[in-house]
Amino acid sequence: MAEKKEKAVEEVVTLAPKVAEGEEYFAVAHIFASFNDTFVHITDLSGRETLTRVTGGMKVKADRDEASPYAAMLAAQDAAARAKELGVTAVHVKIRATGGNRTKTPGPGGQSALRALARAGLKIGRIEDVTPIPTDSTRRKGSRRGRRL
């Protein structure tokens, strides 16, 4: 019996999309910066397909450090590295605070997460604040006289 020697045809499988040379592949970086944690969530342009999601709590051990700029920086570096593996070269940034009837200012990790994305080599497209702002809201927590310290 003659053994047939088949030549193994190795196909190089990449997760990166087919993009022309010199062309940017954009994604959307959703940064949710509250005063308790910071999320860096990178999706495709439609926002439907998650490429990577990293939080500040995944990077530090102490609960009080989850929202810190350092934890946000580490989270953004991780997310950027994973996105670059998938072929992303540029991001549009949507930064968000808690919003609603709570605070409308992003937490301490928002700025540093954005800086870390830029320093990781991702080009920044548009930066947009998508904090939900109610036209009229439900009653805010605390009494009529407010929280007394």
Side-chain angles (χ1 to χ4, degrees):
M1 242 165 85
E3 290 183 22
K4 292 182 179 177
K5 289 187 178 179
E6 293 182 23
K7 290 186 178 180
V9 178
E10 292 184 27
E11 290 184 27
V12 179
V13 179
T14 59
L15 298 171
K18 306 264 188 298
V19 180
E21 190 63 40
E23 205 171 297
E24 304 294 342
Y25 178 65
F26 272 92
V28 181
H30 303 266
I31 299 174
F32 172 56
S34 72
F35 284 91
N36 294 321
D37 205 349
T38 304
F39 286 73
V40 181
H41 187 167
I42 299 180
T43 65
D44 64 343
L45 275 178
S46 68
R48 186 172 292 189
E49 194 72 32
T50 295
L51 301 178
T52 178
R53 182 181 69 238
V54 188
T55 69
M58 291 163 64
K59 295 284 129 198
V60 291
K61 288 283 170 265
D63 289 345
R64 68 175 180 273
D65 294 336
E66 288 179 4
S68 68
Y70 177 66
M73 181 187 77
L74 293 179
Q77 284 173 352
D78 249 34
R82 177 75 179 120
K84 284 173 106 177
E85 280 175 28
L86 296 172
V88 174
T89 56
V91 288
H92 296 303
V93 179
K94 292 189 174 185
I95 192 160
R96 174 184 188 269
T98 310
N101 64 2
R102 294 201 191 91
T103 180
K104 276 100 179 146
T105 56
Q111 288 280 320
S112 60
L114 178 56
R115 280 189 53 145
L117 284 176
R119 294 205 43 186
L122 291 174
K123 293 197 172 93
I124 306 291
R126 303 254 183 265
I127 301 174
E128 189 182 358
D129 185 12
V130 291
T131 303
I133 298 187
T135 50
D136 195 11
S137 182
T138 53
R139 189 173 168 88
R140 196 178 177 121
K141 193 177 131 203
S143 66
R144 184 165 70 97
R145 287 170 51 192
R147 180 170 174 247
R148 292 176 292 287
L149 300 172

